Amino acid sequence: MTRDHGERGERHTARERVTDALYGLGWSTVKKLPEPAAARLGRSVADTVWKRRGKSVLRLESNLARVVPDAGPARLAALSQAGMRSYMRYWMESFRLPAWSAERVADAFQPKDVHHLTDGLAAGNGVILALPHLANWDLAGVWVTRALGVPFTTVAERLRPESLYDRFVAYRESLGMEVLPHTGGSAFGTLARRLRAGGLVCLVADRDLSASGVEVKFFGDTARMPAGPAMLAQQTGALLLPVTLFYDEPPVMRGRVHPPVEVPRTGTRAEKTAVMTQALADVFATGIADHPEDWHMLQRLWLADLDPDREQGSL
């Protein structure tokens, strides 16, 4: 290895250590703050990051321009600032969730049409909840485990450094979730077994830039979304339910469990998967268009925006 490669590796490792330390500080410190202080801190951090106009903020603004195509520069800037505040609200809440009581969780999330979920679980065939990156999906998950008393299985993208990934897994498991690694090839089989046993699987499903991603039309252009939810529904007979979320005034988040995405009666597995994934994308688009400031998509999504070497995505 050359000296330049070694130095770059050392810098990369140092950045990973700093990242892990910052997240560790958040989990250990923010949850101890009074709630108003945590909310103020989140807004302050969000506004500081937004004013710096870094890559993530510019990407968020570019994505929002597709969602709200008639928005001028001033509206887009206001939306991206609101988006960063929403994103930091997600983090401030998530850092504090392990310390929330069941009553606090129940007060914080008020979803509609939960009967789609409870009826599906009562039928015994398993349920898949598919969500976009709207508002706080971790809070929705904790509400399911604590307010409904239903455990579920999900997947998590491998993060660098490994210690940061371990933090996320430990955090979500402390909230009552079974967490499987996204990589390794065994997640799909485990999810299928949980569903066949009548269990619940929850997947964030609005971005997948891997070779297995399904192309969909999304806000007028082509994007890729994961095939997993549709394939699991076909293979196991589980109910596939889209979910959309949005923030109301603090401390409330609202959401809706949408009617099931049906498995088409005809077509190949790939054709059925494409139809079902497009149906998910259409529901996601409706929820995102209604509350664009709560869509935390700070990465490239549409194929037209990708670099030639392409980023790798997640469920």
Side-chain angles (χ1 to χ4, degrees), residues 59-68 76 79-80 292-293 295:
R59 175 49 50 192
L60 175 62
E61 213 160 277
S62 175
N63 290 338
L64 289 171
R66 290 180 179 272
V67 174
V68 191
L76 278 177
L79 272 177
S80 67
E293 69 280 2
W295 190 39

Side-chain angles (χ1 to χ4, degrees), residues 29-312:
T29 303
V30 172
K31 66 182 178 183
K32 298 176 183 177
L33 293 175
E35 199 149 321
R40 286 194 300 271
L41 175 62
R43 287 193 299 271
S44 176
V45 172
D47 289 346
T48 298
V49 173
W50 178 77
K51 288 174 183 176
R52 289 177 179 170
R53 309 288 291 164
K55 289 182 180 180
S56 294
V57 173
L58 295 177
R59 175 49 50 192
L60 175 62
E61 213 160 277
S62 175
N63 290 338
L64 289 171
R66 290 180 179 272
V67 174
V68 191
D70 58 346
R75 172 84 195 284
L76 278 177
L79 272 177
S80 67
Q81 183 177 25
M84 291 307 298
R85 288 184 172 186
S86 175
Y87 185 52
M88 289 311 302
R89 178 176 170 180
Y90 160 79
W91 280 111
M92 293 297 108
E93 288 178 349
S94 294
F95 287 141
R96 298 168 62 79
L97 272 177
W100 281 11
S101 67
E103 293 76 17
R104 176 68 181 87
V105 170
D107 290 341
F109 183 39
Q110 299 177 10
K112 291 183 177 180
D113 299 330
V114 180
H115 66 90
H116 291 303
L117 170 58
T118 53
D119 291 350
L121 290 172
N125 293 326
V127 174
I128 306 156
L129 297 180
L131 307 87
H133 285 82
L134 273 170
N136 192 335
W137 47 96
D138 283 333
L139 171 55
V142 176
W143 186 88
V144 168
T145 61
R146 294 188 182 173
L148 294 185
V150 177
F152 66 86
T153 304
T154 188
V155 298
E157 181 182 3
R158 285 281 185 188
L159 300 172
R160 292 179 64 90
E162 188 74 14
S163 54
L164 178 57
Y165 171 77
D166 291 341
R167 285 185 191 275
F168 269 98
V169 170
Y171 154 68
R172 290 192 166 115
E173 288 180 342
S174 76
L175 301 176
M177 311 175 192
E178 179 189 22
V179 183
L180 307 176
H182 180 258
T183 56
S186 63
F188 187 92
T190 302
L191 294 173
R193 287 193 295 274
R194 300 292 184 268
L195 292 167
R196 290 194 185 100
L200 176 62
V201 164
C202 299
L203 301 171
V204 180
D206 57 345
R207 183 177 185 266
D208 185 353
L209 304 183
S210 69
S212 61
V214 177
E215 292 191 2
V216 296
K217 286 297 179 183
F218 196 56
F219 291 102
D221 210 342
T222 303
R224 282 203 193 112
M225 294 187 182
M231 292 179 65
L232 284 166
Q234 292 175 63
Q235 186 164 317
T236 67
L239 208 61
L240 176 55
L241 301 176
V243 177
T244 54
L245 309 169
F246 67 94
Y247 277 134
D248 204 341
E249 291 299 318
V252 177
M253 180 177 77
R254 301 189 187 275
R256 181 186 175 197
V257 182
H258 295 262
V261 172
E262 303 290 345
V263 177
R265 294 181 180 274
T266 60
T268 65
R269 174 175 291 189
E271 290 168 344
K272 291 178 180 180
T273 298
V275 170
M276 295 171 72
T277 306
Q278 183 64 61
L280 282 178
D282 292 343
V283 176
F284 292 169
T286 299
I288 292 166
D290 287 343
H291 301 279
E293 69 280 2
D294 289 328
W295 190 39
H296 305 153
M297 187 54 67
L298 280 68
Q299 300 165 297
R300 299 177 191 270
L301 175 68
W302 284 273
L303 300 191
D305 293 337
L306 295 179
D307 291 330
D309 54 352
R310 294 190 172 178
E311 300 174 71
Q312 292 299 306

